[in-house]
Amino acid sequence: MKNTQFLLAARPEGEPKKTDWECVEVDVPAAQDGEVVVKVHYISLDPAMRGWMNEGKSYIEPVQIGAVMRAGAVGEVIESKTPDFSVGDHVYGHCGVQKYYVGSPKAVGFHKVDPNIAPLERYLGVLGMPGMTAYFGLLETGLPKEGETVVVSGAAGAVGGVVGQIAKIKGCRVVGIAGGADKCKYLVDELGFDDAIDYKGEDIHQGLKRTCAKGVDVYFDNVGGDILDAVLTRINMRARIVVCGAISQYNNTTAVKGPSNYLSLLINRARMEGIVVFDNAANYGKAAVEMAGWIAEGKLKAKEHIVEGIETFPETLMMLFKGENFGKLVIKV
Amino acid sequence: MKNTQFLLAARPEGEPKKTDWECVEVDVPAAQDGEVVVKVHYISLDPAMRGWMNEGKSYIEPVQIGAVMRAGAVGEVIESKTPDFSVGDHVYGHCGVQKYYVGSPKAVGFHKVDPNIAPLERYLGVLGMPGMTAYFGLLETGLPKEGETVVVSGAAGAVGGVVGQIAKIKGCRVVGIAGGADKCKYLVDELGFDDAIDYKGEDIHQGLKRTCAKGVDVYFDNVGGDILDAVLTRINMRARIVVCGAISQYNNTTAVKGPSNYLSLLINRARMEGIVVFDNAANYGKAAVEMAGWIAEGKLKAKEHIVEGIETFPETLMMLFKGENFGKLVIKV
């Protein structure tokens, strides 16, 4: 049985290029004691992966040169030498960008998922890390109150769409920022956002003025750069800015653009705070129950953007940075 | 009786120039009903004054062109047409840059101060707004815990010196950043800081590495710019950055330098939060009692930098931006 793996061949400067990857075919070894073999069905593509390719201190170890690229994935156990998992179990974990994961379940954080409750790919989106990121980031750091205005960037992405819907559930006015009229229409018509700003079609300052007459109380930032700076000029007293990501800056070859308007935090006694979803691992279960309830009630919708074929990985990853994905981006292996 | 007043003649571009001020001599009018006449003894010079000279939304109204420049001051009531204040009372309030204030006590927030407890100028420093800024900013936003490392910039200034001393009282390791070997020696030898970084004599990155081996838990920022960016590279998990000011940026003619390393907030789940002292007005009394206790015990020391003569105002103000003051900068009228 042959495995296809994408190895990190070089640390990218700026945008990851094809030559930063090496695609190899190797035999799938048998599981050793304590190990499993998992056939990967869906691989998650996330902006955070760009950071994992860099050297240096971060919230997680960088991927080593020559190692299989780290990625969340869902798959099926096809061989098991541990009592914790049985053949036929479906699991989520950091399987990496490959067709088969062989190794310890613990090393990649496997936990079981149930394909009878939701399609497998959903465990990479609203029922997975992006959903958890949205849930904890918004509720525990954004602290939205009923009647407040919540703005979210990357709103048609995996995290942003969930942030906006949860903010609606909590009684907020919700404005999404996304690139393209179709995405904005989707936010309002399908996800129930109150309004949306197409940053590719409208000046962002003008858009914020148009949609946030009462200012911004919570800003959930997935993009950084000019959009963060623009929102900083519209925040209200004691606003909360959740720093979840900065996809506009991840491929910079020059320094990250710091928010020039950060002194608005002073004027408005506001706060900017970073989040990393893994900190909430102990409470994922509770969150999943609540979100499953919202899904069942039709209050929380999910959308995956599925691209077929692991061989598309280098190009598919770039869709994230070009803003080409529409919903949670996954590769069907 | 003649009054000398400094009026704002023009909104400065960059550093305030002499021509941005108009110095006028006018007669001191008699007090009307409800008004007082106060002879100003000491005028406070604060970095925040630079912001008050700009047009546009801030936490306080800009000073209007042609108006007396706003400034905190202490003085003595020499005429009173209100039962709230008597001739001979000493008061603190926003008297402005002038020899006599004539008007309503309420309009400038007068409250009585006692020259028998402390010299009058001290009510502009450790017993005044800078002291309150340090107290509430550090304790309520910085949230220092015993054993943590607290770094403060502008450490030899009116706010910074108090921040560091309170952090010591709370059992923290305290590192001050200041410009010049004499200031750094003063921080360690006189104020009891654990260490100091002379940013004019030592690379700031190197200095932080040298003095903060265990990283930075609380950073109280008075300066912004490159120093903020450097500290961001050294913060610990769940660090708190108190944004009190950004004196390095106030005279910019180009955009403020945003902190390029702000994504360190994400990596470290850290927080950056702005403060404005006026929000704590209801609790000034309680803070003053506690700080007076520390002063009595010798745990909290004060230093004023007194310049004589109101006519020196334009040049004296610039000392703040050149880092030439050593302790709380005041003009003795």
Side-chain angles (χ1 to χ4, degrees):
Chain A
M1 201 161 57
K2 285 285 182 190
N3 197 0
T4 302
Q5 301 180 312
F6 273 89
L7 314 182
L8 183 62
R11 302 214 178 275
E13 294 194 24
E15 293 189 355
K17 301 175 303 295
K18 259 206 135 158
T19 51
D20 295 328
W21 307 108
E22 185 184 2
C23 182
V24 296
E25 289 231 333
V26 293
D27 286 326
V28 177
Q32 305 293 306
D33 266 1
E35 294 188 340
V36 292
V37 178
V38 169
K39 184 178 193 321
V40 175
H41 289 304
Y42 292 95
I43 297 170
S44 179
L45 299 190
D46 298 283
M49 293 165 78
R50 181 61 188 85
W52 303 343
M53 299 164 77
N54 292 337
E55 206 151 16
K57 186 192 166 196
S58 188
Y59 62 91
I60 191 169
E61 283 293 304
V63 176
Q64 297 305 313
I65 299 290
V68 175
M69 179 61 196
R70 182 187 294 133
V74 282
E76 189 181 346
V77 177
I78 59 170
E79 192 187 334
S80 178
K81 293 251 175 98
T82 160
D84 299 335
F85 292 92
S86 311
V87 170
D89 281 349
H90 288 84
V91 292
Y92 167 86
H94 272 171
C95 295
V97 185
Q98 57 184 343
K99 286 187 177 170
Y100 296 92
Y101 170 79
V102 185
S104 138
K106 223 171 170 179
V108 292
F110 274 136
H111 59 259
K112 291 176 198 173
V113 298
D114 186 346
N116 297 312
I117 291 178
L120 271 185
E121 63 272 24
R122 199 137 300 159
Y123 291 98
L124 299 179
V126 63
L127 294 176
M129 289 305 108
M132 294 295 160
T133 302
Y135 181 95
F136 290 104
L138 178 67
L139 297 180
E140 301 203 344
T141 303
L143 303 170
K145 289 187 273 291
E146 197 178 330
E148 288 191 328
T149 299
V150 174
V151 173
V152 55
S153 57
V159 174
V162 180
V163 167
Q165 293 180 88
I166 296 178
K168 281 305 297 176
I169 290 167
K170 296 295 176 183
C172 299
R173 171 172 171 77
V174 176
V175 175
I177 303 174
D182 52 343
K183 286 184 182 172
C184 287
K185 192 169 151 43
Y186 159 76
L187 293 177
V188 174
D189 293 351
E190 300 293 319
L191 301 189
F193 282 42
D194 293 289
D195 214 331
I197 302 168
D198 169 12
Y199 73 88
K200 291 181 178 170
E202 180 178 15
D203 173 73
I204 181 72
H205 288 275
Q206 179 52 39
L208 287 165
K209 212 167 163 182
R210 177 178 61 75
T211 58
C212 302
K214 290 203 236 160
V216 178
D217 299 295
V218 178
Y219 173 49
F220 195 106
D221 190 24
N222 291 305
V223 303
D226 292 334
I227 292 178
L228 169 57
D229 246 341
V231 176
L232 276 165
T233 66
R234 304 289 302 175
I235 57 173
N236 288 334
M237 286 281 286
R238 306 208 175 277
R240 287 80 66 198
I241 296 179
V242 182
V243 181
C244 177
I247 199 169
S248 74
Q249 304 296 308
Y250 290 167
N251 290 321
N252 281 8
T253 48
T254 54
V256 163
K257 178 190 161 19
S260 303
N261 297 322
Y262 85 101
L263 289 173
S264 179
L265 298 177
L266 190 162
I267 293 171
N268 294 294
R269 297 78 153 163
R271 162 191 300 184
M272 195 151 121
E273 187 165 350
I275 58 159
V276 172
V277 66
F278 306 136
D279 296 344
N280 303 290
N283 297 314
Y284 286 167
K286 219 181 59 185
V289 169
E290 189 166 18
M291 292 209 280
W294 291 333
I295 292 172
E297 295 169 49
K299 289 180 181 170
L300 183 55
K301 293 179 187 168
K303 187 184 181 84
E304 293 88 24
H305 185 142
I306 300 174
V307 177
E308 304 232 351
I310 193 171
E311 68 282 359
T312 69
F313 168 68
E315 298 81 34
T316 305
L317 181 66
M318 288 311 299
M319 293 177 69
L320 290 172
F321 301 104
K322 294 176 181 156
E324 291 174 354
N325 60 305
F326 201 149
K328 170 63 200 154
L329 185 64
V330 300
I331 284 177
K332 186 173 181 194
V333 178
Chain B
M1 201 163 55
K2 285 285 182 191
N3 197 0
T4 302
Q5 302 181 313
F6 273 88
L7 314 181
L8 183 62
R11 302 213 178 274
E13 294 194 22
E15 293 190 356
K17 302 175 300 298
K18 260 208 136 157
T19 51
D20 295 327
W21 307 106
E22 185 183 3
C23 182
V24 297
E25 290 232 332
V26 294
D27 285 327
V28 177
Q32 305 293 306
D33 268 0
E35 293 188 344
V36 291
V37 178
V38 169
K39 183 176 191 325
V40 175
H41 288 304
Y42 291 94
I43 297 170
S44 179
L45 300 190
D46 299 282
M49 293 166 77
R50 181 63 188 82
W52 303 344
M53 298 165 76
N54 292 337
E55 206 151 17
K57 187 192 166 196
S58 189
Y59 62 92
I60 192 170
E61 283 293 303
V63 177
Q64 297 304 313
I65 299 290
V68 175
M69 180 60 197
R70 182 188 293 133
V74 282
E76 188 179 348
V77 177
I78 58 169
E79 192 187 335
S80 177
K81 294 252 175 97
T82 159
D84 299 336
F85 292 92
S86 313
V87 169
D89 280 351
H90 288 84
V91 292
Y92 167 86
H94 273 171
C95 295
V97 184
Q98 56 184 343
K99 286 188 177 173
Y100 296 92
Y101 170 79
V102 183
S104 138
K106 223 172 171 177
V108 292
F110 274 137
H111 59 260
K112 292 177 199 172
V113 298
D114 186 346
N116 297 312
I117 291 178
L120 271 185
E121 64 272 24
R122 199 137 300 160
Y123 291 97
L124 300 178
V126 63
L127 294 176
M129 288 306 107
M132 295 294 160
T133 302
Y135 182 94
F136 290 104
L138 178 67
L139 297 181
E140 301 203 344
T141 303
L143 303 170
K145 289 188 272 293
E146 198 178 328
E148 287 191 327
T149 299
V150 174
V151 173
V152 56
S153 57
V159 175
V162 181
V163 167
Q165 292 179 87
I166 297 179
K168 280 306 297 177
I169 291 167
K170 297 295 176 183
C172 298
R173 171 172 172 79
V174 176
V175 175
I177 303 174
D182 52 343
K183 286 183 182 171
C184 287
K185 192 168 153 44
Y186 159 77
L187 294 176
V188 174
D189 292 352
E190 300 294 318
L191 300 190
F193 283 41
D194 294 289
D195 215 330
I197 303 168
D198 169 13
Y199 73 88
K200 291 180 178 171
E202 179 178 17
D203 174 73
I204 182 72
H205 288 275
Q206 179 51 39
L208 288 164
K209 212 166 160 183
R210 177 177 61 77
T211 59
C212 302
K214 289 202 234 160
V216 178
D217 299 295
V218 178
Y219 174 49
F220 194 106
D221 189 24
N222 291 305
V223 303
D226 292 333
I227 292 178
L228 169 57
D229 247 341
V231 177
L232 276 165
T233 67
R234 304 288 302 176
I235 56 173
N236 288 334
M237 286 281 286
R238 306 208 175 277
R240 288 80 66 197
I241 295 178
V242 182
V243 181
C244 178
I247 198 169
S248 73
Q249 305 295 307
Y250 289 168
N251 290 320
N252 280 8
T253 47
T254 53
V256 164
K257 178 190 162 15
S260 304
N261 297 323
Y262 85 101
L263 289 173
S264 178
L265 298 177
L266 189 162
I267 292 172
N268 294 294
R269 299 76 153 162
R271 160 191 303 183
M272 195 152 120
E273 186 164 350
I275 58 159
V276 172
V277 66
F278 306 136
D279 296 344
N280 303 291
N283 297 313
Y284 286 168
K286 218 180 61 186
V289 169
E290 189 165 18
M291 290 207 283
W294 291 331
I295 292 172
E297 295 170 47
K299 289 178 179 171
L300 183 55
K301 292 178 186 168
K303 187 185 182 85
E304 292 89 23
H305 186 142
I306 299 175
V307 177
E308 303 231 353
I310 194 171
E311 67 282 358
T312 68
F313 168 68
E315 299 80 33
T316 306
L317 181 66
M318 288 311 299
M319 293 177 68
L320 290 171
F321 301 104
K322 294 175 180 157
E324 291 174 353
N325 61 305
F326 200 147
K328 169 63 198 154
L329 185 63
V330 300
I331 284 177
K332 186 173 181 193
V333 178

